[in-house]
Every structure is written in C-alpha cells, then in structure tokens.
Amino acid sequence: MNMNIPASSPNQPVIAISDLSRRFKSKLALDSVSLNVERGQVFGLVGANGAGKTTLIKHILGLLKAESGSLRVFDLDPVAEPVAVLSRVGFLSEDRDLPGWMRVDELIRYTRAFHAEWDAAYAEQLRGQFQLDPAARIKQLSRGELAKAGLLVALAHRPELLVLDEPSSGLDPIVRREMLEAIVRTVADEGRTVFFSSHLLDEIERVSDRLAMMACGRVVLQGRLDEILESHFRLTLRFPTPPPTPPKLAGALLVTGSGLEWTVLCNGARAELAAAVVRLGARIVDETAASLDEIFLARVGRERSTTANPQPAAWQEATLDTPDAMK
Ligand code: ATP
C-alpha cells in the first residue's frame, strides 16, 4: 500500500473553489460556485440533470478553465499544472470512455504505464473482486462490468483524490453497492478524498460526509450530511380556524396542506420556529425528521421556481416561503 501521500499543507483543502462561474453562450452553467473539499472526506455533489455537476468536475480536472472565480486542486491550478494535479487524481467519467478494442488485462497494463504509483496487487485484487475476465474485450463488457473496469483503473494507482461523475449511472442495485463499497474503502485508505456526483440521494446519503446540492448552476445548500439532516424537519401545524392564506413562517422551505392542518418543511432553530408558530395562532401537533429527498426537492424546487418561473411549481401544492440563509 502506498502511504506516501505528497502533502500540500495538511490543512489546505484538497479542492478549493471560490466564486466560480461558467457560461456557455447564453447558458450560465455555473453561477458563483464556492465549495471546499477537505482531505479524508467523501464529498457528494447532488443535482438534477443539467444542474452543472459535470461542468464543475471538468473544471476540477483542468478540462475547462475558470472564466471567473478561482479553483485550486492540491493548491495547484489544474489548467496550468495538469500533470502535477492529474497524477494524484483517479477519475471515472459518466460515459466511462474506455478503449473498446482493448482486453481487460491490456487496459490494466496500458493504464499502469501512466502511473508510477500503480499498485499491481491491488489492481489484481479489484479485478478478482469485480469478477472481470482479463481476456474480455472492453466493448463486450456489460454496463456494470464497464463501470467496474473504469473504477479499477481509477483506483489502482491509489490516488489521493478520486473524482467520479455519476459512478453508478445506469447500474443495478447490486453493482451500485459494490462500487460504493470500493469507493468508501478508498477513503478508509488513510487520508484519501472522494468527490463524486450523483442524482441518487440514497447513494449520497449512504457514503457522503459532506454534500452540496446544485440547481441551475448554483450551490443551493452545502454542509455536513448529519448537520443538514439535523437542521431540517417537518412540523405539522393545527389552526383553530382555517388561515386565509398558507401560513408564512421564517425558515419554512415548503408548506403543504389545507384547512386547519398544514405541514411545513423547516430549516432553522426549533425554539424560534415554535415561538413563530405560537405568534401565528397555531400549535405544533407533530414533528418528524425530513429525508434528504424531501430537503433536495424543497431546495431545488425553490431554486427552479425562482430562477425559471416566478410562480411556485404546481407539484409544490402550496407555497415556498421566505428563503433562509443558505449554509
Ligand atoms: P447531467 O446529470 O444530465 O449529466 P449535469 O449536472 O452534469 O447534468 P452539465 O453537463 O454540467 O450538467 O450541464 C450544465 C448545463 O450546461 C446544461 O444546461 C448543459 O446543456 C450546458 N452545457 C454543458 N456543457 C456545454 C457545452 N460544451 N456547450 C454548451 N452547453 C453546455
């Protein structure tokens, strides 16, 4: 095992992105994105199709240059110093893009040639674990096998940073689980870092320490997974008489209901929300945890409705209330 991780400063984020924006003609694909990924973290980037995830990853890999704002990987500019950055990165793209004419063992030998740190025993262990036939042609592999072959060559040089764009896109649940386990083990492998994008909330929830939710090129929420789950909850309010309009509560992300009973998906301090409910003349009859799915839908729904359409979307049933401070 290679424990010889070249250090930038130990406290330096592995990825530091500040105010990064990117336009493709009239399309603003990234809008003032700021985020830091610390060493040893699994960082999940979640967003719907077209949210800007791949564009952000292309900047991290130095395939796109920052138009405005800054982006550093290992405190280096990945466009100016691609070799210094990419030699320390393992990458698996959404469309895998592996050479179809090679056999699995040729792919392994070929990729090995680019990496001084290649760990042949680990590559062989992964090949066995992923049940990849060394003689099989890449173009004949199933979707799942192709993803595993891509992950094998991304992992076997034991990169300090593993970047995965939709690693389990199109895969069945068993293969997804195997891939995720391999990813998590990479991090358990001292001080390594994983940055991965997904639109599967359960996958993000299962493995991430920290996450960012993207919508329409913007980061609409980021933080530690446990803190995000802890600070979002659902309150059911009961009114003595039906309120004339959906109740307005600072910290409410999504309000649904009718008549006497309304449910509010909230983000904020419980005591302050409880006091605000009293001021509305209502009482709290139930409080439940919010799932990451619900938080995502509320956050992304709000962003889409404010970006594309001044009216709340029909599926939101009632109203999206005053935005609170984003983390
Ligand atoms: P998906 O989950 O569908 O892969 P994504 O979150 O990765 O989506 P991106 O591929 O980053 O989204 O695209 C963000 C936006 O930028 C989209 O509207 C896309 O059409 C646009 N875009 C991306 N690359 C280009 C390009 N080279 N030229 C023009 N527009 C682009």
Side-chain angles (χ1 to χ4, degrees):
M1 182 187 299
N2 167 34
M3 297 299 222
N4 194 11
I5 298 175
S8 346
S9 151
N11 298 325
Q12 184 72 40
V14 174
I15 303 174
I17 303 174
S18 173
D19 227 6
L20 179 69
S21 294
R22 172 80 199 196
R23 196 174 273 287
F24 294 110
K25 297 195 176 137
S26 63
K27 173 84 197 174
L28 189 55
L30 294 178
D31 184 0
S32 299
V33 169
S34 295
L35 57 85
N36 282 351
V37 180
E38 309 293 338
R39 191 174 298 281
Q41 276 180 348
V42 179
F43 192 108
L45 181 68
V46 60
N49 293 130
K53 304 181 295 298
T54 301
T55 305
L56 187 58
I57 286 176
K58 284 183 177 168
H59 281 83
I60 293 169
L61 298 173
L63 301 173
L64 289 173
K65 189 171 163 47
E67 269 177 358
S68 67
S70 78
L71 182 143
R72 311 279 292 173
V73 180
F74 307 121
D75 203 22
L76 300 168
D77 173 353
V79 175
E81 301 185 74
V83 176
V85 171
L86 293 180
S87 62
R88 297 160 70 180
V89 173
F91 172 56
L92 178 62
S93 77
E94 189 177 4
D95 44 19
R96 323 295 183 216
D97 51 23
L98 301 176
W101 53 270
M102 279 189 192
R103 296 184 324 196
V104 167
D105 58 354
E106 288 168 337
L107 174 73
I108 293 173
R109 281 204 303 277
Y110 170 78
T111 316
R112 177 181 187 160
F114 291 94
H115 294 285
E117 306 286 342
W118 189 263
D119 183 336
Y122 183 42
E124 185 51 25
Q125 178 202 319
L126 286 170
R127 195 198 58 69
Q129 180 192 324
F130 290 161
Q131 298 182 336
L132 291 169
D133 174 0
R137 294 256 174 231
I138 299 293
K139 64 172 174 251
Q140 283 158 356
L141 298 180
S142 71
R143 259 178 121 98
E145 288 165 340
L146 195 59
K148 288 175 183 171
L151 187 60
L152 185 161
V153 292
L155 283 175
H157 62 106
R158 297 204 182 263
E160 282 173 71
L161 170 63
L162 182 62
V163 178
L164 307 149
D165 193 3
E166 301 272 1
S168 54
S169 158
L171 303 183
D172 72 48
I174 296 169
V175 179
R176 275 176 54 196
R177 188 168 285 255
E178 270 181 276
M179 300 265 298
L180 289 180
E181 279 168 8
I183 291 165
V184 169
R185 269 196 304 275
T186 303
V187 178
D189 193 7
E190 191 170 310
R192 291 169 210 280
T193 308
V194 177
F195 184 87
F196 82 109
S197 75
S198 178
H199 55 266
L200 300 172
L201 274 301
D202 64 325
E203 165 169 305
I204 294 274
E205 190 162 357
R206 193 166 331 132
V207 299
S208 304
D209 304 305
R210 199 175 170 89
L211 65 93
M213 291 184 181
M214 281 191 81
C216 307
R218 270 187 242 169
V219 173
V220 295
L221 178 69
Q222 63 172 307
R224 286 189 55 89
L225 173 66
D226 52 359
E227 287 172 5
I228 287 176
L229 290 172
E230 165 62 25
S231 63
H232 289 77
F233 44 93
R234 209 180 313 104
L235 298 178
T236 305
L237 312 184
R238 179 170 276 272
F239 289 81
T241 53
T245 56
K248 288 203 179 305
L249 203 58
L253 298 172
L254 184 64
V255 182
T256 55
S258 61
L260 299 180
E261 214 163 274
W262 292 80
T263 298
V264 189
L265 180 68
C266 306
N267 170 224
R270 280 172 171 75
E272 281 169 31
L273 281 158
V277 170
V278 171
R279 286 197 295 277
L280 286 175
R283 66 193 170 90
I284 298 171
V285 292
D286 196 19
E287 178 184 329
T288 47
S291 69
L292 202 57
D293 251 338
E294 288 172 303
I295 299 168
F296 178 74
L297 285 173
R299 294 287 186 177
V300 170
R302 172 202 296 285
E303 183 67 19
R304 284 182 166 174
S305 66
T306 51
T307 311
N309 175 3
Q311 300 300 317
W315 61 265
Q316 284 159 346
E317 293 175 50
T319 178
L320 294 166
D321 217 316
T322 325
D324 56 331
M326 299 294 180
K327 288 191 178 182

